[in-house]
Amino acid sequence: MLSETGNGLYDDAMDALPDIIVDPVECRLGYQLRRASAVMMADLGMALAEIGLRPAEATLLSLIGVNPGRSQSDFGRQLGIKRANMVPLTAAMLKAGLIEREATDGRSHALGLTSKGEALRARAEAIIEAHEARFRAGFDDKRLAALVADLIAIRETSPDGRHVAPRAGRE
Amino acid sequence: MLSETGNGLYDDAMDALPDIIVDPVECRLGYQLRRASAVMMADLGMALAEIGLRPAEATLLSLIGVNPGRSQSDFGRQLGIKRANMVPLTAAMLKAGLIEREATDGRSHALGLTSKGEALRARAEAIIEAHEARFRAGFDDKRLAALVADLIAIRETSPDGRHVAPRAGRE
DNA sequence: TATTGTTATACTCTATAACTATA
DNA sequence: TATAGTTATAGAGTATAACAATA
């Protein structure tokens, strides 16, 4: 269909197109969020790879560090990670000797850090802080606070567009 | 090791823990970006599923719509999608009759919208606009502009923490 | 030599459904 | 009946390496 006439429909592509694509999605909030998030996640992933951690593992280490004794499901809810997906995550960290578990309930498992996990948590937080500082470089305190507040507001927006406060991940 | 004494290390979990987890990662920019992005992406995915599109496909439709004749690689670069990953994306849209391709070069393929693709692009943009409006609800124009500017600044932050202007995805 | 499109492949994160055992 | 943990599985998205054809 395109080559019916022998002349291309897009021949102007060969000489007259501007260098810069016209981008109608640059003004979309969701698109910009996704691109910015991808950049920071890639940078964090590279930085944490040096100590053998993935972002989700480092985040969980931080959270367990200040909340020892909460259940696996509690941590999952707080981070927006589903129960089913917490299993391989905690299994890998158990196997690596970073966390320990104890049945509190018969069905609940309390999580805590081993000494090895605590040591790695400290290293991870130093790496994360350096990573965060790189991206905070262009922002003053006020702008950064406004940005974080906006991101939380977006996360807490309900499907009808109202800003509410669920605060934790759903399942 | 945990149950050596018969008393759990985390027995306080059974009575004294506060309802709300202490969350040391809430102040992290990368974490908040990821959570906010995930919420918007999930909402957009649900909304676009009604017309059988995924977010990446709808975005590509919008971009081709105003830039017909650019190559597959051009669109990939603009959206930060690697060449290799553009293949299944464009293949599915070709198969669905949404886009058309024409060799401009021997190696480059110019992309354009079919009439069916143009019609679906219009529907997708209406859905996306309604989706965006839901999340913009809590922001005035000034705050929204500042937020988008901040997100672009983050995306353009180089590995050394300087804000530069690469603007397109890397490979 | 560099670029375009392609294949094949792998990893991460996420999602659902179903099962068990406990509360 | 609801919850915690588990298993199995599937689907997106993204990453690399390599190849052929072309510029």
Side-chain angles (χ1 to χ4, degrees), chain B residues 10-49:
Chain B
Y10 305 119
D11 285 351
D12 53 356
M14 301 173 75
D15 43 63
L17 287 189
D19 280 357
I20 300 181
I21 282 188
V22 178
D23 195 332
V25 308
E26 280 287 316
C27 62
R28 292 181 191 164
L29 183 54
Y31 175 79
Q32 296 294 356
L33 268 178
R34 192 178 202 300
R35 294 295 301 268
S37 173
V39 167
M40 285 200 73
M41 285 297 293
D43 183 82
L44 181 60
M46 294 253 301
L48 285 173

Short mmCIF file of all heavy atoms in Angstrom, two decimals, chain B residues 10-49:
data_model
loop_
_atom_site.label_atom_id
_atom_site.label_comp_id
_atom_site.label_asym_id
_atom_site.label_seq_id
_atom_site.Cartn_x
_atom_site.Cartn_y
_atom_site.Cartn_z
N TYR B 10 11.97 -11.55 68.85
CA TYR B 10 11.04 -10.52 68.41
C TYR B 10 9.70 -10.63 69.11
O TYR B 10 8.66 -10.34 68.56
CB TYR B 10 10.86 -10.60 66.89
CG TYR B 10 12.17 -10.54 66.17
CD1 TYR B 10 12.60 -11.58 65.38
CD2 TYR B 10 12.99 -9.42 66.32
CE1 TYR B 10 13.81 -11.51 64.73
CE2 TYR B 10 14.20 -9.35 65.67
CZ TYR B 10 14.62 -10.40 64.87
OH TYR B 10 15.81 -10.33 64.24
N ASP B 11 9.74 -11.06 70.38
CA ASP B 11 8.49 -11.25 71.09
C ASP B 11 7.69 -9.97 71.24
O ASP B 11 6.47 -9.99 71.34
CB ASP B 11 8.74 -11.84 72.49
CG ASP B 11 9.10 -13.32 72.39
OD1 ASP B 11 8.98 -13.88 71.28
OD2 ASP B 11 9.51 -13.90 73.40
N ASP B 12 8.40 -8.84 71.21
CA ASP B 12 7.71 -7.56 71.34
C ASP B 12 6.75 -7.35 70.17
O ASP B 12 5.82 -6.57 70.25
CB ASP B 12 8.69 -6.39 71.45
CG ASP B 12 9.70 -6.39 70.32
OD1 ASP B 12 9.69 -7.34 69.50
OD2 ASP B 12 10.48 -5.44 70.25
N ALA B 13 6.98 -8.10 69.12
CA ALA B 13 6.08 -7.99 67.97
C ALA B 13 4.66 -8.39 68.35
O ALA B 13 3.71 -8.01 67.69
CB ALA B 13 6.57 -8.86 66.82
N MET B 14 4.55 -9.14 69.42
CA MET B 14 3.22 -9.67 69.77
C MET B 14 2.40 -8.69 70.60
O MET B 14 1.22 -8.89 70.80
CB MET B 14 3.37 -10.98 70.51
CG MET B 14 4.12 -12.01 69.67
SD MET B 14 4.49 -13.51 70.54
CE MET B 14 2.90 -14.31 70.60
N ASP B 15 3.04 -7.60 71.07
CA ASP B 15 2.24 -6.68 71.86
C ASP B 15 2.61 -5.21 71.67
O ASP B 15 1.75 -4.36 71.53
CB ASP B 15 2.33 -7.05 73.35
CG ASP B 15 3.75 -7.38 73.76
OD1 ASP B 15 4.61 -6.48 73.68
OD2 ASP B 15 4.02 -8.53 74.14
N ALA B 16 3.92 -4.92 71.61
CA ALA B 16 4.34 -3.53 71.79
C ALA B 16 4.59 -2.75 70.49
O ALA B 16 4.88 -1.57 70.55
CB ALA B 16 5.60 -3.47 72.65
N LEU B 17 4.53 -3.39 69.34
CA LEU B 17 4.88 -2.65 68.12
C LEU B 17 3.78 -1.66 67.75
O LEU B 17 2.60 -1.96 67.83
CB LEU B 17 5.09 -3.62 66.96
CG LEU B 17 6.38 -4.43 67.00
CD1 LEU B 17 6.57 -5.18 65.70
CD2 LEU B 17 7.58 -3.56 67.27
N PRO B 18 4.21 -0.46 67.34
CA PRO B 18 3.22 0.54 66.92
C PRO B 18 2.53 0.10 65.63
O PRO B 18 3.04 -0.74 64.90
CB PRO B 18 4.06 1.79 66.68
CG PRO B 18 5.43 1.27 66.37
CD PRO B 18 5.58 0.01 67.18
N ASP B 19 1.37 0.68 65.38
CA ASP B 19 0.61 0.32 64.19
C ASP B 19 1.33 0.71 62.91
O ASP B 19 1.25 0.02 61.90
CB ASP B 19 -0.76 1.03 64.20
CG ASP B 19 -1.75 0.31 65.10
OD1 ASP B 19 -1.38 -0.74 65.64
OD2 ASP B 19 -2.88 0.80 65.25
N ILE B 20 2.03 1.84 62.98
CA ILE B 20 2.64 2.37 61.76
C ILE B 20 4.13 2.07 61.76
O ILE B 20 4.85 2.42 62.70
CB ILE B 20 2.39 3.88 61.63
CG1 ILE B 20 0.88 4.13 61.57
CG2 ILE B 20 3.09 4.43 60.41
CD1 ILE B 20 0.50 5.56 61.41
N ILE B 21 4.57 1.43 60.71
CA ILE B 21 5.98 1.12 60.56
C ILE B 21 6.79 2.41 60.45
O ILE B 21 6.36 3.38 59.83
CB ILE B 21 6.18 0.25 59.29
CG1 ILE B 21 5.78 -1.20 59.60
CG2 ILE B 21 7.58 0.34 58.77
CD1 ILE B 21 6.13 -2.16 58.49
N VAL B 22 7.96 2.42 61.04
CA VAL B 22 8.89 3.52 60.86
C VAL B 22 9.54 3.33 59.50
O VAL B 22 10.12 2.29 59.23
CB VAL B 22 9.97 3.53 61.96
CG1 VAL B 22 10.94 4.66 61.73
CG2 VAL B 22 9.31 3.63 63.33
N ASP B 23 9.39 4.33 58.64
CA ASP B 23 9.83 4.13 57.26
C ASP B 23 10.96 5.08 56.89
O ASP B 23 10.74 6.26 56.63
CB ASP B 23 8.65 4.33 56.31
CG ASP B 23 8.98 3.79 54.92
OD1 ASP B 23 10.17 3.78 54.57
OD2 ASP B 23 8.06 3.39 54.21
N PRO B 24 12.19 4.56 56.86
CA PRO B 24 13.36 5.40 56.56
C PRO B 24 13.54 5.65 55.07
O PRO B 24 14.45 6.39 54.69
CB PRO B 24 14.51 4.56 57.10
CG PRO B 24 14.05 3.14 56.93
CD PRO B 24 12.55 3.16 57.11
N VAL B 25 12.70 5.08 54.25
CA VAL B 25 12.88 5.27 52.81
C VAL B 25 11.88 6.26 52.22
O VAL B 25 11.99 6.64 51.05
CB VAL B 25 12.82 3.93 52.03
CG1 VAL B 25 13.78 2.92 52.63
CG2 VAL B 25 11.42 3.38 51.97
N GLU B 26 10.94 6.72 53.05
CA GLU B 26 9.93 7.68 52.58
C GLU B 26 10.55 9.00 52.12
O GLU B 26 9.98 9.70 51.31
CB GLU B 26 8.90 7.96 53.67
CG GLU B 26 7.83 6.90 53.81
CD GLU B 26 6.81 6.91 52.67
OE1 GLU B 26 6.35 7.98 52.28
OE2 GLU B 26 6.48 5.81 52.18
N CYS B 27 11.71 9.32 52.66
CA CYS B 27 12.34 10.60 52.31
C CYS B 27 13.23 10.48 51.07
O CYS B 27 13.83 11.46 50.64
CB CYS B 27 13.14 11.13 53.49
SG CYS B 27 14.48 10.04 53.99
N ARG B 28 13.31 9.28 50.51
CA ARG B 28 14.18 9.10 49.35
C ARG B 28 13.46 9.49 48.06
O ARG B 28 12.37 9.01 47.78
CB ARG B 28 14.65 7.64 49.24
CG ARG B 28 15.59 7.24 50.35
CD ARG B 28 16.04 5.80 50.19
NE ARG B 28 16.73 5.34 51.39
CZ ARG B 28 16.96 4.07 51.66
NH1 ARG B 28 16.59 3.13 50.82
NH2 ARG B 28 17.60 3.72 52.78
N LEU B 29 14.14 10.32 47.30
CA LEU B 29 13.57 10.82 46.05
C LEU B 29 13.34 9.68 45.07
O LEU B 29 12.27 9.59 44.44
CB LEU B 29 14.53 11.86 45.47
CG LEU B 29 14.12 12.57 44.20
CD1 LEU B 29 12.76 13.21 44.35
CD2 LEU B 29 15.17 13.62 43.84
N GLY B 30 14.32 8.80 44.92
CA GLY B 30 14.20 7.70 43.97
C GLY B 30 13.05 6.77 44.33
O GLY B 30 12.31 6.32 43.45
N TYR B 31 12.90 6.52 45.61
CA TYR B 31 11.81 5.66 46.07
C TYR B 31 10.46 6.29 45.77
O TYR B 31 9.55 5.64 45.25
CB TYR B 31 11.97 5.40 47.57
CG TYR B 31 10.84 4.61 48.19
CD1 TYR B 31 10.77 3.23 48.04
CD2 TYR B 31 9.83 5.24 48.91
CE1 TYR B 31 9.73 2.50 48.60
CE2 TYR B 31 8.79 4.53 49.48
CZ TYR B 31 8.74 3.16 49.31
OH TYR B 31 7.71 2.44 49.87
N GLN B 32 10.31 7.56 46.10
CA GLN B 32 9.03 8.24 45.86
C GLN B 32 8.71 8.34 44.37
O GLN B 32 7.56 8.22 43.97
CB GLN B 32 9.04 9.63 46.49
CG GLN B 32 9.15 9.64 48.00
CD GLN B 32 7.94 9.03 48.69
OE1 GLN B 32 6.96 8.66 48.05
NE2 GLN B 32 8.01 8.90 50.00
N LEU B 33 9.75 8.55 43.56
CA LEU B 33 9.54 8.58 42.12
C LEU B 33 9.00 7.25 41.63
O LEU B 33 8.07 7.18 40.83
CB LEU B 33 10.88 8.85 41.41
CG LEU B 33 11.23 10.28 41.09
CD1 LEU B 33 12.60 10.34 40.43
CD2 LEU B 33 10.18 10.89 40.16
N ARG B 34 9.61 6.18 42.13
CA ARG B 34 9.22 4.85 41.69
C ARG B 34 7.78 4.53 42.09
O ARG B 34 7.00 4.02 41.30
CB ARG B 34 10.17 3.82 42.30
CG ARG B 34 10.04 2.46 41.70
CD ARG B 34 11.03 1.48 42.28
NE ARG B 34 11.25 0.37 41.39
CZ ARG B 34 10.31 -0.46 40.98
NH1 ARG B 34 9.08 -0.29 41.38
NH2 ARG B 34 10.60 -1.46 40.17
N ARG B 35 7.44 4.87 43.34
CA ARG B 35 6.08 4.57 43.80
C ARG B 35 5.03 5.39 43.06
O ARG B 35 4.00 4.89 42.64
CB ARG B 35 5.97 4.84 45.32
CG ARG B 35 6.81 3.91 46.20
CD ARG B 35 6.37 2.47 46.14
NE ARG B 35 5.01 2.26 46.53
CZ ARG B 35 4.58 1.96 47.75
NH1 ARG B 35 5.47 1.84 48.73
NH2 ARG B 35 3.32 1.76 48.01
N ALA B 36 5.32 6.68 42.89
CA ALA B 36 4.37 7.55 42.18
C ALA B 36 4.22 7.11 40.74
O ALA B 36 3.11 7.04 40.19
CB ALA B 36 4.84 9.01 42.25
N SER B 37 5.34 6.78 40.11
CA SER B 37 5.30 6.32 38.73
C SER B 37 4.50 5.03 38.61
O SER B 37 3.71 4.87 37.67
CB SER B 37 6.73 6.10 38.23
OG SER B 37 6.72 5.51 36.94
N ALA B 38 4.68 4.12 39.56
CA ALA B 38 3.96 2.84 39.51
C ALA B 38 2.46 3.06 39.60
O ALA B 38 1.68 2.41 38.90
CB ALA B 38 4.45 1.93 40.63
N VAL B 39 2.04 4.01 40.46
CA VAL B 39 0.61 4.30 40.61
C VAL B 39 0.03 4.84 39.30
O VAL B 39 -1.01 4.39 38.82
CB VAL B 39 0.37 5.30 41.76
CG1 VAL B 39 -1.06 5.84 41.71
CG2 VAL B 39 0.64 4.63 43.10
N MET B 40 0.75 5.80 38.70
CA MET B 40 0.23 6.37 37.45
C MET B 40 0.26 5.34 36.32
O MET B 40 -0.67 5.28 35.51
CB MET B 40 1.00 7.64 37.06
CG MET B 40 0.62 8.84 37.92
SD MET B 40 1.07 10.45 37.16
CE MET B 40 -0.16 10.59 35.83
N MET B 41 1.31 4.55 36.25
CA MET B 41 1.38 3.54 35.19
C MET B 41 0.27 2.51 35.32
O MET B 41 -0.31 2.08 34.32
CB MET B 41 2.76 2.85 35.21
CG MET B 41 3.89 3.70 34.67
SD MET B 41 3.68 4.11 32.90
CE MET B 41 3.86 2.49 32.16
N ALA B 42 -0.02 2.10 36.54
CA ALA B 42 -1.08 1.12 36.74
C ALA B 42 -2.43 1.70 36.31
O ALA B 42 -3.22 1.04 35.64
CB ALA B 42 -1.12 0.68 38.20
N ASP B 43 -2.66 2.96 36.68
CA ASP B 43 -3.92 3.61 36.30
C ASP B 43 -4.02 3.76 34.79
O ASP B 43 -5.06 3.48 34.19
CB ASP B 43 -4.01 4.98 36.98
CG ASP B 43 -5.34 5.68 36.69
OD1 ASP B 43 -6.32 5.37 37.38
OD2 ASP B 43 -5.38 6.52 35.77
N LEU B 44 -2.92 4.16 34.17
CA LEU B 44 -2.92 4.35 32.72
C LEU B 44 -3.11 3.01 32.01
O LEU B 44 -3.85 2.92 31.02
CB LEU B 44 -1.60 5.00 32.27
CG LEU B 44 -1.47 5.26 30.77
CD1 LEU B 44 -2.57 6.19 30.28
CD2 LEU B 44 -0.10 5.82 30.43
N GLY B 45 -2.46 1.98 32.52
CA GLY B 45 -2.59 0.66 31.92
C GLY B 45 -4.03 0.17 31.94
O GLY B 45 -4.53 -0.36 30.94
N MET B 46 -4.71 0.39 33.07
CA MET B 46 -6.11 0.00 33.17
C MET B 46 -6.97 0.79 32.18
O MET B 46 -7.83 0.24 31.51
CB MET B 46 -6.63 0.28 34.59
CG MET B 46 -6.00 -0.57 35.67
SD MET B 46 -7.14 -1.82 36.28
CE MET B 46 -8.48 -0.76 36.87
N ALA B 47 -6.72 2.10 32.13
CA ALA B 47 -7.53 2.96 31.26
C ALA B 47 -7.34 2.60 29.79
O ALA B 47 -8.30 2.54 29.02
CB ALA B 47 -7.18 4.42 31.51
N LEU B 48 -6.09 2.35 29.40
CA LEU B 48 -5.81 2.06 27.98
C LEU B 48 -6.21 0.65 27.58
O LEU B 48 -6.42 0.37 26.40
CB LEU B 48 -4.32 2.28 27.69
CG LEU B 48 -3.87 3.74 27.61
CD1 LEU B 48 -2.35 3.81 27.48
CD2 LEU B 48 -4.53 4.45 26.43
N ALA B 49 -6.31 -0.24 28.57
CA ALA B 49 -6.70 -1.62 28.26
C ALA B 49 -8.08 -1.66 27.61
O ALA B 49 -8.38 -2.58 26.84
CB ALA B 49 -6.68 -2.46 29.53
#
